[in-house]
Amino acid sequence: VVETNITATAGGITASCLVKVSDATIAVEAVELSHSEASLAVGATLQLTATITPENATNKSITWSSTDDEVATVVDGLVTGVAEGEATIMAEADGMFGICTVTVIAPANIGDYYYSDGTYSTDLDTSKSVIGVVFYTGDPTANDAILRRDFPNCTHGLVLALTETNNVFWQKEARAYNQTLISGIEYTDPMNQINGYNNTKAIEAFNAAEENAAWPVTAMNALNDHRRTVAAPESSSGWYFPSIKELNLAFSGDYQGPITDFENEDTTVKDTINSALMKVPGSKSYNNDYLSSTELDALNVYDMMVWALYIPTEGISKTAGISFRAVLAF
């Protein structure tokens, strides 16, 4: 702040005024939130961030609020789902607002029916088009950074497709290519990564490259056929190629031991899924042999193999025919 005296004299009379000059105030023009809309399960959280325009605005202090704290609360941008319903989360700075509409939904259950509109229910709703069955509840983005980047709202669980494709080859020309595409899971490592979406994006990039035209991952044909046949809701990740972890989650739940030790000791999840599938005409029960997107990154003969859900879980040749089943995150 700069101060100066302004003096005026007229007819022998003098008057003065102390003038204080401060830097110009730069007003906030807009507040934009990292999400304009989001869905949360009861008890789940979502961190919102606010971007203020212009960057050099004088007052960048943000006040957060919710239109209904009984549905969703917010503290420093962290939104928590409280009860089913809809609330608007607001971030105010210098009289300008950024808003995010939050829909809070009840948590899904394993065995719930998942519909083409992105909703789900424990009892089959015949007025809707069912496209899959929930086989995992939790945050699929926790260990899949690409899924989290592309679909940050898909934190509720995973869905198994109603049908499958038989006699699918992972990569028919695997021996001609003679390399692994993705950094796979070593033979003795724990199978603890939900990363099928990441694997799918890597495979799609591999197939799109001209230099790989002679040895594409042919299993993607089965996935793309399913995508064309069964449309996934926009609120989901869309159908993708499951990792070995995801296939095992649909069989016996969250098994944490070494991948080579997996047995069919606990079929609770599989039985729950199949009980639901039995009520959907045209669906196919979940069985014991499925192809995964997880390569077996080891030495010698294992270079030509991928992990498969056989029971126990084991590596199979990329040129062997096996069943394929798609999944999605929601």
Side-chain angles (χ1 to χ4, degrees):
V1 178
V2 178
E3 297 181 0
T4 187
N5 275 304
I6 304 298
T7 302
T9 301
I13 299 174
T14 300
S16 63
C17 176
L18 178 64
V19 177
K20 297 181 179 180
V21 180
S22 60
D23 295 335
T25 298
I26 301 175
V28 173
E29 297 176 1
V31 179
E32 183 177 355
L33 298 187
S34 51
H35 296 73
S36 60
E37 59 182 26
S39 63
L40 288 176
V42 174
T45 61
L46 172 68
Q47 182 65 57
L48 296 176
T49 58
T51 302
I52 293 176
T53 304
E55 291 185 2
N56 62 341
T58 302
N59 182 10
K60 300 177 75 171
S61 176
I62 298 172
T63 301
W64 294 90
S65 63
S66 169
T67 57
D68 193 341
D69 285 336
E70 293 185 357
V71 172
T73 60
V74 60
V75 178
D76 294 332
L78 182 66
V79 183
T80 301
V82 177
E84 291 182 72
E86 186 174 285
T88 299
I89 303 300
M90 297 180 290
E92 184 269 335
D94 198 22
M96 303 302 291
F97 290 84
I99 63 172
C100 174
T101 302
V102 174
T103 302
V104 181
I105 56 179
N109 298 301
I110 293 174
D112 279 1
Y113 296 98
Y114 186 79
Y115 304 101
S116 59
D117 63 359
T119 62
Y120 47 83
S121 65
T122 300
D123 297 320
L124 181 60
D125 186 345
T126 56
S127 69
K128 294 185 178 184
S129 177
V130 58
I131 62 173
V133 174
V134 176
F135 69 90
Y136 170 76
T137 57
D139 184 1
T141 72
N143 291 308
D144 192 330
I146 305 304
L147 177 61
R148 184 166 60 253
R149 178 199 67 188
D150 293 350
F151 298 98
N153 290 333
C154 290
T155 59
H156 309 302
L158 296 169
V159 170
L160 183 74
L162 298 177
T163 59
E164 60 193 45
T165 304
N166 299 318
N167 201 33
V168 173
F169 301 87
W170 203 92
Q171 187 183 26
K172 289 184 177 181
E173 299 300 325
R175 297 198 177 279
Y177 181 61
N178 199 34
Q179 298 179 59
T180 54
L181 279 64
I182 313 164
S183 177
I185 297 179
E186 298 290 346
Y187 197 68
T188 57
D189 280 352
M191 51 171 200
N192 60 355
Q193 298 294 318
I194 296 175
N195 56 11
Y197 182 84
N198 171 82
N199 294 350
T200 302
K201 298 302 287 186
I203 293 169
E204 287 175 333
F206 177 86
N207 282 1
E210 287 186 20
E211 60 269 25
N212 298 322
W215 35 68
V217 178
T218 42
M220 290 299 293
N221 295 333
L223 174 61
N224 289 328
D225 285 344
H226 187 78
R227 286 170 167 173
R228 285 188 289 267
T229 304
V230 183
E234 292 185 2
S235 58
S236 75
S237 66
W239 299 107
Y240 63 84
F241 198 157
S243 67
I244 190 62
K245 172 67 173 182
E246 286 155 307
L247 290 175
N248 280 276
L249 283 170
F251 194 92
S252 66
D254 198 3
Y255 179 81
Q256 293 294 326
I259 197 168
T260 51
D261 293 346
F262 178 74
E263 301 279 355
N264 60 339
E265 297 172 356
D266 182 0
T267 61
T268 303
V269 176
K270 175 190 172 186
D271 294 343
T272 300
I273 292 170
N274 283 340
S275 178
L277 288 170
M278 286 177 57
K279 300 176 183 178
V280 182
S283 65
K284 175 74 173 177
S285 62
Y286 191 63
N287 295 308
N288 296 1
D289 54 334
Y290 291 102
L291 191 62
S292 86
S293 60
T294 307
E295 291 181 277
L296 206 166
D297 188 9
L299 301 175
N300 302 322
V301 66
Y302 293 118
D303 287 340
M304 301 300 111
M305 302 182 80
V306 291
W307 285 112
L309 178 70
Y310 260 124
I311 311 305
T313 298
E314 61 184 43
I316 65 163
S317 170
K318 293 180 179 180
T319 61
I322 187 174
S323 297
F324 166 84
R325 199 141 183 169
V327 302
L328 63 75
F330 70 98

